[in-house]
Amino acid sequence: MFHPVSSKGRGRTALKYANNLPLTVLLLTQNLHAASAGRVLAHGRLLREWVFHVLVAGWGEGELTPRLRDFPVLQFHGELRSQWPLDAVVVYGEQDESTWQALLTLRERFGTRILTFPQDSSESPAVAARACPRGLEYVANFDHLQRALKTGCGAALWSPALQQTDVIPQRSKPGRRDVVLFWKQNDLGLYGRRPDMVIRYLATRPDVGRIVVFDRPYSEQGLEKKQSDGWFNQNRYVYVGAMQRALSNCVEHREDCAVYARTFVYRPEREGSEEYVQFVRESLAELDVNIAASLFIHYPLLQWGEELMAAFQPRAWLADIVDDRRTWPHVNARQYEKYTHAYQVALAHSQFAMTNCEPVQAAMASYHDSIALLPNGCDEQPPLRVSTLNRQLIRELQQWTGPVFIYVGNLESKLDDALLEKIATTYTNALLVLVGSAHTNRDILDLECYANVRFSGVLPYAEANAVLQYAHVGLVPHRQTALTEHMNPLKVSVYLTNRLPVVASQVSNIAEHPCILRASDHETFLQQLDVALSLYQQRDEPRLQTAFLSFQQDNAWQTRLAPYFDALLTDESAVEH
């Protein structure tokens, strides 16, 4: 029996247990857009004062911004899943049969308490309690809910041997292979990064049946800290995305291919690499994935990557190396040695490997004898979306009469903030728009003191593309460091796809193009901005129209990836076992 005890933490009182397990409560409503959802949000605000981790979730069509002031709301687009332990679920209103079944499975599997409010507020408590389905507990009001949560919760733990659930997967059609992809971060679908484009491309192939995506495992405690509504960082998006993938059957149908997304949320006191491998194994079994016939793609360095690769023997492992972790800032000698060993192991297990730039290819050459060079490509049909996240900024840009310089990407220490300051003070008639997360570099926000600098905060890929329609020049103001020498800036392709001239510092791995201007110092960079503005005025001329279109076609992701994956997915002789 777990006994709740009160402990102070993170600026508020959190209910914990004698064995230091947090209490995680899910508040679930069928329609997040209904007027009744207000009660759910109100209860969530109150519970956060003493419950360690509160989630509000449900379904519904339409825009629901994750930037709510108090805490994020999860909007599900698939069925509730029963693979993540919760201490309690509080149900508001009617649910469909599949949701009730998932809730009962949670109760049987993890000991999760299922508490439900009356669907008809006019019913007497006695009548409502008698009508409550078997296995569920009736609560009449918020005080009743508080008392219920303070007694008897806390038994939800991962079982060492996870039970199988009754799931009817969408199986691959005959002649198609499944692809399983492991991404090293938690921002899939947010920025339109290389793995997003690889997934999108693979979903168009007639020989790919399904794609199952796993992003970085996250501890529940680590995710709970990311709930805070930081306009200038990506934490809330990471939290919302991870929780949606952990709690709902995230499946997206693209072309004739289903893409499933999964996140392993764990409690480090009880779980680690062994449970993660088991989670992956169970997730693939649930979907009836034929591992031996599937292609596994991984993006080093993965958490628990060595254990993962030792546990699974697919048709082939493909490593896609997008950077060199050893070149990141503040890496000490011990970490450098650790990362080197991890790259050696990851590439030794991989039958195939590819990367986006020559410096990374050279740095990894001693660990794999054939690393293909596939630079980042262009999105031929970039999505555009106007929402509450970018609407106000777009209105300002529409009314602005001067130039608009834009940077899209994480606002990390690789940015030359002194150069950005010079741009703001030199071009006082221009807007300098910085789109991205400052979660690793809060100092960049000092530029807010300038009246012509705008920080948009994090914008998802489609919203960022919509803002780019009102800019005049795309910026790559990177410092020359070991990190920038070992990366292939995808933003250059994004700018050119949106028909923007580009001014870039003298960093490596940037393509040649009539509308890409390079600068070796600050003074030259400022001069090149004038040239770029002139090119923008000429961009509808046939010469530049042809240059933009040719770059997009020659560097399309389809053009980049098709020849390589043709061999991996169809040529049996290319795969070594």
Side-chain angles (χ1 to χ4, degrees):
M1 177 71 179
F2 292 102
H3 301 285
V5 295
S6 180
S7 64
K8 297 288 185 180
R10 299 168 310 284
R12 66 174 188 265
T13 301
L15 189 71
K16 290 195 175 183
Y17 301 98
N19 61 357
N20 202 34
L21 286 176
L23 180 67
T24 299
V25 179
L26 171 66
L27 310 185
L28 186 67
T29 181
Q30 182 65 29
N31 188 353
L32 288 167
H33 299 275
S36 58
R39 178 172 66 157
V40 186
L41 293 171
H43 287 181
R45 294 186 187 99
L46 293 170
L47 288 176
R48 286 187 79 230
E49 296 304 314
W50 54 274
V51 171
F52 173 78
H53 194 183
V54 179
L55 305 99
V56 172
W59 292 265
E61 296 299 324
E63 181 185 340
L64 183 72
T65 175
R67 296 184 188 276
L68 296 180
R69 291 186 181 278
D70 295 313
F71 51 84
V73 174
L74 312 181
Q75 186 169 20
F76 294 157
H77 298 286
E79 294 180 352
L80 182 70
R81 300 181 71 229
S82 54
Q83 285 187 292
W84 186 48
L86 298 164
D87 294 296
V89 179
V90 185
V91 182
Y92 295 79
E94 185 56 68
Q95 304 293 329
D96 59 32
E97 184 60 33
S98 65
T99 302
W100 288 122
Q101 185 58 50
L103 291 170
L104 293 175
T105 302
L106 276 169
R107 183 178 182 275
E108 295 169 5
R109 190 174 183 185
F110 303 118
T112 302
R113 292 182 70 186
I114 311 299
L115 306 153
T116 179
F117 274 91
Q119 296 165 25
D120 183 356
S121 58
S122 64
E123 280 185 330
S124 70
V127 171
R130 286 195 298 271
C132 189
R134 185 175 181 181
L136 279 63
E137 302 174 54
Y138 165 80
V139 287
N141 51 46
F142 183 76
D143 289 338
H144 190 181
L145 172 62
Q146 275 190 303
R147 291 196 299 272
L149 289 177
K150 288 181 178 179
T151 58
C153 289
L157 294 172
W158 277 107
S159 168
L162 298 179
Q163 305 171 26
Q164 295 296 316
T165 55
D166 294 327
V167 175
I168 302 176
Q170 176 181 323
R171 292 180 171 84
S172 289
K173 295 180 179 179
R176 297 189 176 198
R177 297 190 187 280
D178 291 332
V179 175
V180 180
L181 184 146
F182 299 90
W183 175 232
K184 62 176 181 158
Q185 297 171 188
N186 297 93
D187 51 13
L188 276 172
L190 180 55
Y191 297 121
R193 293 190 190 275
R194 182 179 174 100
D196 296 314
M197 297 301 148
V198 169
I199 292 167
R200 180 193 290 186
Y201 162 72
L202 290 173
T204 67
R205 290 186 62 102
D207 52 0
V208 171
R210 295 165 305 172
I211 303 170
V212 188
V213 181
F214 297 89
D215 62 354
R216 173 190 168 198
Y218 232 117
S219 73
E220 185 178 355
Q221 291 88 336
L223 273 176
E224 193 274 342
K225 294 175 183 176
K226 293 186 177 294
Q227 290 189 74
S228 61
D229 187 12
W231 183 263
F232 298 114
N233 68 58
Q234 66 181 22
N235 287 343
R236 174 150 296 183
Y237 289 95
V238 168
Y239 175 87
V240 168
M243 286 303 177
Q244 285 176 332
R245 290 186 289 271
L247 286 169
S248 70
N249 185 28
C250 288
V251 55
E252 181 180 354
H253 295 279
R254 305 185 188 182
E255 305 291 333
D256 197 22
C257 175
V259 181
Y260 297 85
R262 300 288 184 261
T263 298
F264 178 58
V265 180
Y266 64 97
R267 293 175 174 175
E269 303 91 349
R270 299 295 182 103
E271 298 153 344
S273 60
E274 184 177 344
E275 287 74 21
Y276 176 53
V277 169
Q278 180 73 352
F279 171 82
V280 173
R281 195 183 304 280
E282 184 192 52
S283 297
L284 298 180
E286 178 185 73
L287 296 171
D288 197 24
V289 171
N290 182 354
I291 294 172
S294 299
L295 173 66
F296 277 38
I297 304 173
H298 66 113
Y299 286 80
L301 294 169
L302 296 177
Q303 182 175 342
W304 299 321
E306 186 170 348
E307 294 86 346
L308 196 68
M309 300 187 78
F312 295 99
Q313 289 76 45
R315 180 176 186 267
W317 280 97
L318 164 64
D320 189 3
I321 317 158
V322 296
D323 57 12
D324 186 344
R325 185 68 176 84
R326 299 170 298 182
T327 66
W328 289 20
H330 314 302
V331 172
N332 59 39
R334 183 188 62 80
Q335 291 171 319
Y336 190 96
E337 184 177 348
K338 173 186 173 183
Y339 297 149
T340 297
H341 172 74
Y343 280 121
Q344 289 171 333
V345 171
L347 291 173
H349 276 85
S350 302
Q351 288 88 347
F352 299 95
M354 63 182 184
T355 188
N356 56 15
C357 64
E358 290 181 358
V360 172
Q361 185 185 44
M364 303 292 165
S366 61
Y367 314 143
H368 197 284
D369 59 5
S370 180
I371 302 177
L373 180 61
L374 278 75
N376 289 328
C378 288
D379 187 353
E380 291 188 278
Q381 295 181 315
L384 304 175
R385 183 168 56 239
V386 177
S387 72
T388 55
L389 300 177
N390 61 359
R391 187 173 288 115
Q392 183 176 347
L393 175 60
I394 286 176
R395 285 173 181 164
E396 181 178 14
L397 297 181
Q398 288 172 329
Q399 297 169 8
W400 190 262
T401 57
V404 176
F405 304 133
I406 192 166
Y407 175 85
V408 177
N410 281 338
L411 309 179
E412 299 166 328
S413 61
K414 66 176 180 282
L415 282 183
D416 190 339
D417 49 358
L419 173 58
L420 291 172
E421 186 174 21
K422 286 183 180 179
I423 294 172
T425 55
T426 302
Y427 289 87
T428 55
N429 67 326
L431 271 185
L432 174 57
V433 179
L434 303 175
V435 178
S437 175
H439 64 286
T440 64
N441 182 25
R442 299 289 297 181
D443 291 344
I444 195 73
L445 299 180
D446 291 345
L447 292 172
E448 272 194 300
C449 68
Y450 295 103
N452 61 336
V453 175
R454 299 290 182 273
F455 287 90
S456 73
V458 176
L459 293 181
Y461 181 51
E463 275 86 353
N465 280 322
V467 171
L468 284 168
Q469 307 309 302
Y470 301 93
H472 299 106
V473 180
L475 306 179
V476 187
H478 289 174
R479 305 177 192 271
Q480 288 183 273
T481 67
L483 173 62
T484 57
E485 287 294 311
H486 291 77
M487 60 184 290
N488 178 214
L490 181 56
K491 60 181 58 59
V492 174
S493 295
V494 174
Y495 295 151
L496 291 177
T497 298
N498 285 281
R499 300 177 66 239
L500 290 182
V502 179
V503 179
S505 54
Q506 205 66 39
V507 293
S508 300
N509 312 312
I510 291 180
E512 296 291 330
H513 187 274
C515 288
I516 298 178
L517 308 174
R518 307 301 296 274
S520 57
D521 54 49
H522 288 185
E523 190 61 33
T524 307
F525 200 103
L526 295 175
Q527 294 170 1
Q528 296 286 47
L529 289 176
D530 287 328
V531 179
L533 288 172
S534 177
L535 287 172
Y536 180 85
Q537 297 298 325
Q538 305 168 40
R539 68 176 186 162
D540 290 329
E541 294 181 2
R543 175 180 66 90
L544 292 185
Q545 278 190 331
T546 301
F548 281 122
L549 183 59
S550 297
F551 183 86
Q552 192 172 357
Q553 293 175 340
D554 295 344
N555 298 281
W557 284 107
Q558 169 99 11
T559 304
R560 285 267 194 265
L561 299 173
Y564 192 72
F565 280 97
D566 284 346
L568 266 66
L569 292 168
T570 62
D571 185 358
E572 294 294 338
S573 64
V575 180
E576 301 175 7
H577 289 283

